[in-house]
Amino acid sequence: MDRTRVRAITTNTLLCIVCLLVPLLLLNNTYIARWNWIIYDSMHTLLVHDASEQVVIVAVDDNSLQQLGRWPWSREVHTRFLQQVHALGVKAVGFDILFPEHETDQVDQAFSDEIRKMGRVVLAVAPEVNTQDEITSESLPIPILAAAADRLGHVDYELEIDGICRAVYLYAGLGSAHWPAFAYAVYLTAFQKQPEIKRLSALGSGWVREQPLYIPFQAKPDAISQVSFDDVLHGRVDSIIQDKILLVGATAAGLGDQLSTPVSGEHRRMPGVEVNAHLLESLIQQRSLEYASLAVQVIYTLSVIILFAFSLYFFGLSRAPVLFFACIVLTFVITFISLQFLRLWVPPFTALLGAVVTYFAWGWRSQTIVQGELLHLNRTLLHQGGHDPISSLPNRTILEKTLNQSMINAKLTGCLVSVYIINTGSLRAINDQLGFKAGDELLDKVAQRIQRVLGEGAVVAKINGEFAVVQDAAHELRIQHVGGRLLQVLQQPFEWGNKDYYLPPSIGVSVFPADGLTSDTLINHAFTAMHRAKADRKRGLLFFSQQMKQDQVQRSELESDLRNALVNAEFEVYYQPKVSATDRSIIGAEALLRWHHPVRGMVPPTEFIPLAEKQGIIVEIGAWVLRQACQQTQIWHDTGYPVFRIAVNVSAVQLTESDFSAVLYKTLDETGLNAQSLEIEVTETSLMTDVELTIRILEQIKMIGVGIAVDDFGTGYSSLNYLNMFPVDCLKIDRTFVKDLGTSSDSKDITLSIINMAHRLHLQVVAEGVETEAQATFMQENACEYLQGYLFGKPLPADEFTVLLSQK
């Protein structure tokens, strides 16, 4: 058998193995699962069916809370409820409400008696989670109520990896799955019969779940009838609930479980009682769904792959796009039919992935046929592989070869080898202004100057957009001289189109053997020195040092740790009081983010905030701080402390690169904080990032009712012109001016000017960094309204700030 045939057989065999094994290995992959659920949700909306109209949700809604008082209500209310519905012939009543604590013997006994009298009442059981997110106990109704109820049912919901509730476990419990699902318990109570569902008997040491049951939600979230608890209590909806199954539960914001479901939409979460109502409807209509077993998924995936592969074999690669499209359509059709008629969800994405792998693998096989024709072209391109495509200068490959040879020679002669990495600044602006052709021509001029300084024997290469040079030298003074000469020459203007253009250089240098023993190490260290020189605009030439490496490693580690800080709950919001200048009473507070690093301890915000902005996670962190501050402030207001305003800092990125006004509105709505109790602080620099966009965003914030303050005023533009443009309420004088009040007359003059300017614009003034009584007195005497600083309190955690509020 010739080599070509052996190679063909081997290639085809490997293709078959790859096409069959890769999808199977990814059956339980997290990303695959997410895509499967996206497809499920899309198909789920097509399973349209009408409600049985046997289920009515009795909602503990905002109207009921307004009429009956704050939650939780006395059990006398629930007793009256049962008395009201008893005579209406309801089939069953399910309380999706927990009753784990005693009230009074008389009230509990009355409620228990009414439950017994009703005879068709189901109460809820819920798993309780400890601080380690482990379920260690059950929240049960008190014994007298549990004994009176017809059944108890658990309200444990199953959330998929994307956080959406699509199923419940038919049985669950602590140690064994002994509690039926709440909706299932109501179903059994209402119809006094067992559906054709097999119950298992698993045991375990924790919370045990059995038999997932997928819920075919109604097409519309409000498809199931819903009445207000207060209307039922006062007999206003008797005709609606007569002979129905009633599910009593919380739908008001902030009460009970709120779950995302396939039909609840992006901005509306479904109350737990409504989820139970959908499940109850599916049990009544016998429409519950099952998840296909692993064996069924494997068979389905392999069938699709094999069918598609045979189609490619018989019809050829030229018709592959049509066959691929037909395979996708067929896969979705089979999945939908099994879902619609067999009530079985068979995830299709793995089969689709298998088709994709087969498609590309078959294409790769075809490409091997023309490899011989490409051999000559590859040899032609070999030279190009060692040179920069634009400048035709040697690239990293040639540079490393030159450097390796220089290091070998240096070991024999005892000489030094230096690596120069040269960055030419302002090139981007020139490209934007003159075009890339002009930029390339200027770079050619830069390379020519470098070549003249180093001589014809030097190799000038291009790496990642930077120039790189390897130079042999007898001693360090020679290396320093060459570096200084390069800096001097490149700082001179470059002529193009009868005009002079400056490309300010930043040069980093590493030396063999002190700074590294390999070409890769020396080049990386030279890049490190170049970036440091670029950051320090006063120094265009820097030699690598180990301290640079340590700083780079620490910064890299800090960036990596920062990405996980929010997930690991390492952030905490501190609160610094803001007081009235006249009577020193607390009139507000500023929310300040703190990072408790598990190894480094407290990391200053000046270190990690710029990193968060650079990494693009400042928006997520800022939204978290905003929510925490609003939530905590509402807690203080609800506790009875005087209502005050909380100030939250917002970065330029957070303000302009996200739908901040929508985030702000949603946060206020979900935390319940009055918009008048919130103030957003932005710096002068943030305001001037994009003036038109910033004005539009600030006007949206003002429409919500939130106050706006300019933070660190005096360090930026400090212009009346731009202050008139922005809808701000308050100026915060930067602490640098406050600190120098006793020693600098300029600081006093600037501070007085800011106060007077603010008052002319009808703006309030806050002095930051007040640490002495003299500073506070000066501010008070000059009509500054509010003070903030260590004199009145340092930033404190929420619990310590609560103590401070209690002392005032």
Side-chain angles (χ1 to χ4, degrees):
M1 190 178 293
D2 59 70
R3 293 184 178 180
T4 303
R5 185 170 178 78
V6 171
R7 188 182 300 114
I9 293 175
T10 304
T11 301
N12 290 335
T13 303
L14 290 175
L15 283 176
C16 292
I17 293 174
V18 169
C19 293
L20 294 176
L21 287 184
V22 169
L24 297 182
L25 291 175
L26 295 176
L27 269 176
N28 293 320
N29 182 272
T30 300
Y31 297 102
I32 300 299
R34 289 183 182 274
W35 278 105
N36 277 323
W37 288 128
I38 291 174
I39 297 172
Y40 172 88
D41 291 345
S42 300
M43 289 190 171
H44 178 278
T45 58
L46 301 177
L47 303 179
V48 180
H49 64 280
D50 297 327
S52 67
E53 299 184 355
Q54 296 188 55
V55 181
V56 177
I57 298 173
V58 179
V60 179
D61 53 9
D62 293 330
N63 176 61
S64 299
L65 294 176
Q66 184 178 4
Q67 299 298 324
L68 300 175
R70 295 183 59 180
W71 187 263
W73 298 326
S74 170
R75 284 172 196 156
E76 293 178 347
V77 176
H78 300 299
T79 302
R80 289 162 48 204
F81 170 85
L82 289 180
Q83 292 171 348
Q84 178 66 29
V85 303
H86 188 191
L88 298 176
V90 297
K91 295 179 180 178
V93 177
F95 282 94
D96 189 6
I97 300 169
L98 300 178
F99 301 104
E101 297 178 353
H102 289 276
E103 190 167 335
T104 66
D105 292 342
Q106 183 178 1
V107 171
D108 289 342
Q109 185 63 52
F111 189 32
S112 172
D113 291 342
E114 195 59 35
I115 291 174
R116 290 182 185 277
K117 184 178 179 181
M118 182 76 187
R120 297 178 301 280
V121 177
V122 177
L123 300 182
V125 176
E128 292 190 343
V129 180
N130 61 16
T131 55
Q132 286 77 37
D133 289 332
E134 298 173 344
I135 299 176
T136 57
S137 61
E138 297 172 330
S139 181
L140 297 168
I142 60 174
I144 190 173
L145 301 182
D150 187 88
R151 281 185 177 88
L152 303 183
H154 73 81
V155 288
D156 178 29
Y157 306 101
E158 171 66 1
L159 299 182
E160 303 296 345
I161 58 174
D162 55 0
I164 294 179
C165 176
R166 299 181 179 90
V168 299
Y169 281 89
L170 207 57
Y171 294 93
L174 196 64
S176 66
H178 48 274
W179 300 120
F182 179 78
Y184 185 45
V186 175
Y187 172 82
L188 299 178
T189 300
F191 296 99
Q192 295 297 309
K193 64 176 182 178
Q194 291 279 357
E196 296 297 327
I197 298 177
K198 180 182 177 182
R199 178 177 177 182
L200 308 178
S201 56
L203 298 176
S205 58
W207 184 260
V208 179
R209 293 167 165 176
E210 286 182 1
Q211 210 167 335
L213 198 65
Y214 284 78
I215 309 170
F217 289 92
Q218 303 289 333
K220 297 181 180 179
D222 56 352
I224 298 176
S225 299
Q226 187 173 133
V227 296
S228 174
F229 188 101
D230 183 68
D231 290 339
V232 175
L233 199 63
H234 292 87
R236 290 190 285 264
V237 290
D238 289 353
S239 60
I240 298 176
I241 65 176
Q242 189 172 11
D243 298 323
K244 298 297 192 317
I245 302 173
L246 307 184
L247 293 184
V248 184
T251 63
L255 292 185
D257 295 313
Q258 298 286 326
L259 305 169
S260 295
T261 68
V263 297
S264 58
E266 283 186 17
H267 305 293
R268 180 184 183 275
R269 306 185 76 191
M270 185 178 289
V273 67
E274 194 172 345
V275 174
N276 279 314
H278 282 271
L279 175 58
L280 182 54
E281 280 283 355
S282 71
L283 291 171
I284 292 173
Q285 300 184 43
Q286 294 295 292
R287 296 181 61 86
S288 56
L289 307 175
E290 294 185 10
Y291 195 98
S293 66
L294 182 61
V296 172
Q297 294 182 55
V298 170
I299 294 172
Y300 177 59
T301 300
L302 293 179
S303 299
V304 171
I305 294 173
I306 294 172
L307 178 62
F308 182 57
F310 271 101
S311 300
L312 288 174
Y313 180 80
F314 284 108
F315 293 100
L317 193 64
S318 60
R319 299 182 181 179
V322 176
L323 295 174
F324 181 64
F325 178 77
C327 179
I328 293 175
V329 173
L330 178 63
T331 302
F332 280 114
V333 168
I334 294 174
T335 301
F336 179 77
I337 290 174
S338 65
L339 192 63
Q340 175 72 27
F341 299 103
L342 303 179
R343 320 305 300 166
L344 181 67
W345 166 241
V346 185
F349 195 79
T350 309
L352 294 174
L353 177 64
V356 172
V357 172
T358 304
Y359 181 88
F360 284 102
W362 205 275
W364 174 80
R365 173 185 176 278
S366 300
Q367 291 300 318
T368 59
I369 299 174
V370 297
Q371 284 184 354
E373 299 176 4
L374 296 176
L375 183 59
H376 177 71
L377 180 61
N378 288 336
R379 290 173 179 173
T380 305
L381 296 175
L382 183 61
H383 173 75
Q384 299 179 6
H387 294 76
D388 180 69
I390 298 177
S391 64
S392 296
L393 292 172
N395 61 13
R396 185 173 186 131
T397 302
I398 302 299
L399 182 74
E400 288 185 346
K401 289 181 179 179
T402 304
L403 180 55
N404 286 329
Q405 187 60 49
S406 296
M407 289 190 294
I408 293 174
N409 296 336
K411 291 178 182 178
L412 298 176
T413 61
C415 292
L416 303 176
V417 180
S418 58
V419 178
Y420 302 85
I421 300 295
I422 305 168
N423 170 269
T424 50
S426 304
L427 184 61
R428 179 177 296 179
I430 290 176
N431 285 334
D432 293 340
Q433 180 183 356
L434 304 177
F436 287 99
K437 182 179 179 181
D440 293 340
E441 292 181 6
L442 287 172
L443 288 178
D444 287 339
K445 294 178 181 290
V446 173
Q448 293 171 13
R449 285 195 187 180
I450 296 173
Q451 198 78 56
R452 286 200 298 269
V453 172
L454 300 174
E456 293 298 328
V459 176
V460 180
K462 198 79 176 295
I463 303 178
N464 298 335
E466 323 292 349
F467 292 99
V469 178
V470 175
Q471 179 77 12
D472 298 332
H475 47 74
E476 292 187 4
L477 290 178
R478 173 61 180 169
I479 298 174
Q480 293 176 358
H481 172 74
V482 171
R485 180 62 179 155
L486 285 171
L487 184 65
Q488 180 183 12
V489 168
L490 297 177
Q491 285 176 337
Q492 301 301 316
F494 293 85
E495 183 181 352
W496 190 88
N498 297 324
K499 290 185 179 181
D500 290 339
Y501 296 92
Y502 290 87
L503 300 174
S506 301
I507 305 176
V509 187
S510 64
V511 181
F512 171 85
D515 297 333
L517 301 178
T518 66
S519 60
D520 188 63
T521 302
L522 288 170
I523 293 172
N524 290 340
H525 286 175
F527 265 103
T528 299
M530 183 273 293
H531 288 303
R532 182 63 63 88
K534 188 176 181 181
D536 187 354
R537 299 181 180 179
K538 297 180 181 179
R539 303 174 65 180
L541 173 68
L542 276 180
F543 284 76
F544 175 79
S545 67
Q546 288 300 322
Q547 183 61 43
M548 289 183 188
K549 187 65 176 179
Q550 293 175 6
D551 293 345
Q552 186 182 44
V553 171
Q554 291 179 358
R555 182 181 181 87
S556 178
E557 291 176 349
L558 199 64
E559 288 180 355
S560 177
D561 294 342
L562 182 60
R563 291 188 177 276
N564 300 317
L566 191 59
V567 177
N568 296 335
E570 296 171 7
F571 287 128
E572 184 178 5
V573 179
Y574 278 40
Y575 302 87
Q576 186 175 29
K578 189 186 302 181
V579 304
S580 169
T582 55
D583 59 9
R584 308 294 172 86
S585 62
I586 296 178
I587 53 85
E590 180 178 1
L592 301 168
L593 181 61
R594 295 293 183 264
W595 181 12
H596 298 282
H597 193 280
V599 177
R600 302 186 186 187
M602 192 74 78
V603 181
T606 53
E607 288 189 28
F608 70 82
I609 292 298
L611 291 180
E613 292 179 341
K614 175 184 174 183
Q615 294 178 350
I617 59 176
I618 188 65
V619 174
E620 182 180 359
I621 294 175
W624 179 85
V625 173
L626 179 65
R627 174 175 290 275
Q628 292 292 112
C630 292
Q631 194 173 49
Q632 181 60 56
T633 304
Q634 185 60 38
I635 291 174
W636 282 323
H637 292 174
D638 292 341
T639 305
Y641 293 109
V643 175
F644 59 83
R645 174 176 282 190
I646 188 72
V648 180
N649 293 284
V650 177
S651 72
V653 176
Q654 186 183 1
L655 187 68
T656 60
E657 296 187 12
S658 66
D659 192 357
F660 182 72
S661 58
V663 172
L664 186 64
Y665 182 84
K666 180 179 179 181
T667 302
L668 291 171
D669 180 62
E670 293 180 352
T671 60
L673 185 68
N674 191 305
Q676 302 296 327
S677 298
L678 177 63
E679 182 178 72
I680 297 302
E681 293 187 2
V682 293
T683 63
E684 295 179 79
T685 306
S686 299
L687 291 175
M688 302 304 294
T689 301
D690 186 334
V691 174
E692 293 184 2
L693 175 62
T694 303
I695 292 175
R696 188 164 63 251
I697 295 172
L698 294 183
E699 287 175 347
Q700 293 173 356
I701 294 173
K702 290 292 291 183
M703 290 177 63
I704 296 174
V706 175
I708 302 172
V710 181
D711 197 14
D712 300 333
F713 188 80
T715 61
Y717 299 88
S718 306
S719 167
L720 279 172
N721 293 329
Y722 88 81
L723 275 180
N724 275 323
M725 293 161 39
F726 298 105
V728 299
D729 307 299
C730 177
L731 298 184
K732 298 189 73 173
I733 302 175
D734 187 74
R735 63 184 68 250
T736 56
F737 301 113
V738 178
K739 184 178 76 171
D740 296 336
L741 283 178
T743 58
S744 171
S745 59
D746 290 342
S747 293
K748 289 184 178 179
D749 294 339
I750 293 174
T751 301
L752 290 174
S753 298
I754 293 174
I755 295 174
N756 293 332
M757 177 179 63
H759 287 165
R760 285 199 301 272
L761 295 174
H762 306 291
L763 303 178
Q764 296 178 327
V765 182
V766 179
E768 293 184 291
V770 179
E771 299 181 356
T772 66
E773 190 61 43
Q775 295 169 351
T777 302
F778 177 85
M779 290 297 178
Q780 180 181 357
E781 290 175 349
N782 288 280
C784 177
E785 288 90 346
Y786 307 116
L787 308 175
Q788 182 179 343
Y790 276 27
L791 180 63
F792 314 105
K794 62 181 182 179
L796 299 170
D799 53 350
E800 295 183 26
F801 192 83
T802 303
V803 175
L804 182 64
L805 289 175
S806 302
Q807 295 172 351
K808 296 298 182 178

